[in-house]
Amino acid sequence: MIENRGIRVSLICDDCESEDFSPYDRDDFGLMMQEAKEAGWTISKPGGEWHHRCPDCKPSALERARDLFGV
């Protein structure tokens, strides 16, 4: 999840609530997301809602396929 903290934002894992990427200035949101992906976070939008997972909670290949194809 993305947590707004005034002029700062944090990235929090939706599964374990780990907060490895925080806080960033709101203007650096794109940088935060890029660095999170490079660090192994997955960001997907299954069912129309954003889902953020840290590397420890990264989905399996089957879960990723379900997210992509809605199976």
Side-chain angles (χ1 to χ4, degrees):
M1 99 179 80
I2 304 297
E3 182 173 277
N4 290 311
R5 297 179 176 179
I7 62 170
R8 310 279 251 168
V9 290
S10 298
L11 179 60
I12 300 170
C13 180
D14 289 314
D15 291 345
C16 72
E17 299 186 8
S18 169
E19 189 176 338
D20 288 345
F21 279 85
S22 70
Y24 278 69
D25 288 337
R26 291 175 76 112
D27 293 340
D28 292 330
F29 178 82
L31 176 63
M32 177 180 73
M33 299 308 282
Q34 177 186 344
E35 289 181 0
K37 289 177 183 178
E38 289 171 0
W41 282 65
T42 57
I43 300 162
S44 60
K45 195 174 181 183
E49 290 188 36
W50 289 105
H51 196 85
H52 308 87
R53 288 183 175 158
C54 69
D56 292 336
C57 297
K58 195 173 189 173
S60 67
L62 178 58
E63 288 175 302
R64 286 193 308 272
R66 286 181 180 154
D67 286 349
L68 285 173
F69 301 110
V71 179

